[in-house]
Amino acid sequence: MPNGYAAAHLPMLALTDLMTPICSLDGSPLGHVEEVGIVTGAPVAELGAAQWILAADPAPTKPYADALRGLAGGSPLSPESGAVICQQVTTIGDEPGADPAHELRLTLTGPGIARAIVMYVSGLAAAYFRERAELCAAHPVGIDLILIASDGAIAAIPRTTEIVSVTETTPTNQPMETYR
Amino acid sequence: MSYAGTNKGGTAAILAAERLADERRHALAADGVDIEQAIAAFPAALDRIMGEAGLWDERLAATAFVQASGDSAEAVHLLRAHRSTLPRLAISEPADAAKMQIVRRIVPAHRSPDGPQLLGETVDFTARLLRAPGAPDPLPLAGETDTTEPTKYADEPFRRYSQFLRDRGLLIERTDRADPEPFDLAMTPPQLPAARSATLSAMSLSETGGLISLWYRSVLGPDGYADESVTLGEVRRGRLRVDVRHPHTGNPVTIGEIRVSETEAISHLDERGEDPSQFDAGYGLVLGHNERKAIAMANMDLAATRYGATPEGQLLQQLIMMTTDGLASNGFLEHLKLPHYVTFRSMMERAEAARAVQDAEQDSVADAVTAVVHDDAPLDERRQKVGQPA
């Protein structure tokens, strides 16, 4: 990506077109959703009508709660109209990273995962995943999530994946907050 | 021996089968089967494939045709799979078929219509005699030919035959203002009752042979949807420009040209309850030079519109929307080859259980009859024991 553009733009550029309304989740100056629309032909829509959502601003403290609740989740007959979020984060890894103070340890289960896998994400608040869990509770309605780190690492978390625990790690790796 | 899905011991067999298919593809590539040659040699096959796939790209169609060893259903499958990965970058401006650059136009309904009767390139009059490429014609062209120079015609505007009837007040009005936009089959599942734009879209994308068979069945079969006395008003082939609006200037720009076949089918509305002073016109337009499909489409459009308000017409709509897509019908047929061991075992068990019940019932009836035959009770009582009236 050119300088000044978060890597979260890349899946938007690759996967949106005339048939996929797009919107920015946070309205942050880092998200150039209009430019994505010019390049791919995707129409820029209101949050609740958009299918692909650009969240270009990694925000460790922002819960995004209102914005997430405003997303289209689809319906039981049309689950495909649930939104996909391209969420910028700082790091993604399967090992604890360099900055454990701002890292979440996620444990994922669900279709396609043999038992459970653990991943570490920095640049998002634990509350973000609580909102996501609520939005995905009434399957098949829900949202799909693509996390993109600035180094290009990517993790796609479909609505069928259950995040069974989110733990904020500390420098000594002691759990501070856990849910579920 | 049997095979099963992956991880049940069938993986090796599946890989071996795929390797055999791969070897053929590699052998073809080694023989230098060239895409440009395929485009030049098989235009009719490629036009048919592009029309059924709903994707206009000769190079991709030729690639699919060669990869599928000439199996058009398989080539259509490859193209549809590819099409589903392509972004939609623009929706074209409505292409006006009257602006077609005509390479062939015949009006079977009228000897001297407005505009030309232009036979163009056709095998309609060819003696079907096999001959090797380059061999002399066993039946050379002969006969008196007219030496007068044919009249020169520009492309349209000249009246198409439906307009000729409309100008005489002889064509029924079929404009449906409730159906302003084309039905998008790629984004919307087929629905009933279907708008005319939906049946037209479905037929335009349908399998050529399947649509012709549906038409023929409805002429000669038990359903009787189509009218045997249909006359073709227009049969055209030509090239049509495709325009889109420029994303920055907003002006229409031409991005390419497609070949199309277009047909009007005309029928006299002379059945009970119809207005015998009127004709009805069905319409067919398909990608590529594929006259048979366009003619079948126009005939079936005519029938679906003419009988649209009747239960028969609604059944016909269902046939068009649900049964003419080649990818769907071929895919459903092909899936029958997959292992059905569990479902069939379950049917076997139900059949065996039913047989066991029948055998047990027969045994007990036989026992009862035996008992009754050897019974010394009066006849009425013996009848009652086997369930007969006394």
Side-chain angles (χ1 to χ4, degrees):
Chain A
M1 287 300 292
N3 278 344
Y5 288 79
H9 288 83
L10 284 169
M12 301 284 289
L13 289 170
L15 295 170
T16 67
D17 71 2
L18 205 58
M19 312 307 289
T20 52
I22 57 175
C23 186
S24 166
L25 184 67
D26 47 9
S28 85
L30 295 178
H32 301 278
V33 77
E34 284 80 11
E35 289 173 45
V36 171
I38 289 167
V39 174
T40 70
V44 178
E46 293 293 313
L47 190 66
Q51 213 163 2
W52 282 79
I53 311 294
L54 176 63
D57 183 14
T61 53
K62 256 190 191 171
Y64 285 124
D66 290 343
L68 288 173
R69 279 177 214 152
L71 294 175
S75 67
L77 279 180
S78 276
E80 75 283 3
S81 53
V84 185
I85 310 176
C86 298
Q87 174 67 55
Q88 183 71 43
V89 295
T90 314
T91 59
I92 301 172
D94 46 12
E95 301 285 334
D99 185 15
H102 301 104
E103 204 162 56
L104 297 175
R105 181 182 188 275
L106 308 181
T107 309
L108 313 179
T109 65
I113 301 172
R115 292 171 60 84
I117 54 169
V118 171
M119 60 182 277
Y120 294 85
V121 175
S122 69
L124 273 184
Y128 187 96
F129 291 100
R130 273 199 294 276
E131 287 299 331
R132 178 213 171 255
E134 278 185 28
L135 294 172
C136 297
H139 189 73
V141 170
I143 56 164
D144 303 305
L145 183 59
I146 303 176
L147 304 178
I148 307 103
S150 38
D151 65 355
I154 192 164
I157 307 180
R159 65 190 72 181
T160 49
T161 297
E162 197 178 347
I163 305 180
V164 288
S165 86
V166 179
T167 312
E168 280 181 24
T169 58
T170 67
T172 54
N173 224 13
Q174 293 298 310
M176 276 176 62
E177 183 197 355
T178 307
Y179 74 93
R180 289 208 185 187
Chain B
M1 271 303 286
S2 66
Y3 77 99
T6 51
N7 301 328
K8 293 267 195 282
T11 313
I14 290 169
L15 289 176
E18 185 62 18
R19 215 166 282 129
L20 283 174
D22 239 13
E23 277 168 18
R24 172 182 283 279
R25 284 180 213 130
H26 287 133
L28 273 175
D31 287 348
V33 172
D34 182 58
I35 298 304
E36 297 301 329
Q37 280 177 344
I39 292 172
F42 306 115
L46 299 189
D47 276 16
R48 177 179 164 168
I49 289 166
M50 289 189 287
E52 294 175 11
L55 180 68
W56 187 266
D57 188 317
E58 283 180 302
R59 284 195 64 82
L60 286 181
T63 306
F65 182 66
V66 170
Q67 183 179 335
S69 312
D71 177 350
S72 76
E74 180 66 16
V76 167
H77 197 158
L78 289 166
L79 280 191
R80 286 264 189 105
H82 178 71
R83 188 179 85 142
S84 71
T85 69
L86 299 175
R88 287 192 176 194
L89 300 177
I91 292 173
S92 79
E93 294 297 291
D96 183 357
K99 292 188 177 154
M100 183 195 307
Q101 188 185 1
I102 294 170
V103 297
R104 168 167 160 82
R105 186 247 186 167
I106 51 176
V107 181
H110 206 289
R111 176 184 294 274
S112 49
D114 273 5
Q117 294 268 20
L118 178 67
L119 289 185
E121 181 188 344
T122 177
V123 292
D124 285 355
F125 310 98
T126 304
R128 266 65 181 204
L129 295 172
L130 269 181
R131 57 177 154 143
D137 191 344
L139 202 64
L141 296 177
E144 297 277 314
T145 52
D146 197 345
T147 51
T148 53
E149 190 72 7
T151 318
K152 298 272 188 223
Y153 292 95
D155 287 330
E156 280 192 293
F158 48 76
R159 276 188 304 180
R160 53 185 56 214
Y161 200 68
S162 58
Q163 190 59 42
F164 172 84
L165 293 173
R166 189 176 286 119
D167 290 348
R168 279 171 168 65
L170 295 175
L171 191 72
I172 192 167
E173 178 56 49
R174 291 290 193 195
T175 306
D176 182 0
R177 306 218 177 275
D179 183 21
E181 289 289 328
F183 190 89
D184 188 351
L185 279 169
M187 303 298 288
T188 326
Q191 289 158 3
L192 296 170
R196 190 178 181 197
S197 76
T199 53
L200 286 173
S201 296
M203 288 192 284
S204 191
L205 208 58
S206 68
E207 201 206 19
T208 306
L211 192 66
I212 293 168
S213 170
L214 181 63
W215 164 76
Y216 199 46
R217 168 188 163 160
S218 75
V219 173
L220 293 185
D223 306 336
Y225 301 119
D227 190 342
E228 200 179 345
S229 64
V230 163
T231 308
L232 299 182
E234 298 276 349
V235 178
R236 297 179 177 200
R237 294 191 335 219
R239 292 183 281 268
L240 196 55
R241 280 180 8 200
V242 177
D243 292 351
V244 298
R245 292 214 171 261
H246 193 282
H248 296 304
T249 67
N251 296 325
V253 285
T254 301
I255 55 165
E257 204 177 58
I258 54 176
R259 289 191 294 275
V260 295
S261 306
E262 188 194 29
T263 297
E264 284 179 351
I266 294 171
S267 204
H268 185 203
L269 295 176
D270 59 354
E271 292 186 4
R272 187 188 297 268
E274 292 181 325
D275 178 355
S277 74
Q278 300 279 287
F279 288 90
D280 202 348
Y283 186 70
L285 183 101
V286 302
L287 274 183
H289 287 176
N290 189 349
E291 272 172 20
R292 283 190 292 268
K293 181 169 160 183
I295 293 168
M297 175 174 168
N299 275 277
M300 296 315 284
D301 174 51
L302 176 61
T305 316
R306 183 177 181 183
Y307 305 117
T310 67
E312 291 78 17
Q314 283 149 16
L315 284 175
L316 177 57
Q317 277 185 8
Q318 185 177 352
L319 283 174
I320 291 171
M321 294 305 295
M322 305 297 191
T323 72
T324 57
D325 185 67
L327 187 67
S329 57
N330 286 311
F332 191 62
L333 180 139
E334 303 269 3
H335 108 277
L336 295 174
K337 295 179 289 187
L338 293 171
H340 284 62
Y341 308 146
V342 175
T343 48
F344 196 75
R345 180 68 219 162
S346 148
M347 287 183 237
M348 286 276 286
E349 283 171 7
R350 275 177 283 158
E352 283 164 357
R355 163 56 63 87
V357 169
Q358 285 171 358
D359 286 350
E361 280 172 1
Q362 272 173 7
D363 286 351
S364 68
V365 167
D367 288 350
V369 169
T370 309
V372 168
V373 166
H374 299 289
D375 200 341
D376 292 332
L379 184 59
D380 284 352
E381 277 179 38
R382 285 157 62 188
R383 281 187 173 142
Q384 278 175 348
K385 283 182 184 169
V386 292
Q388 288 180 352

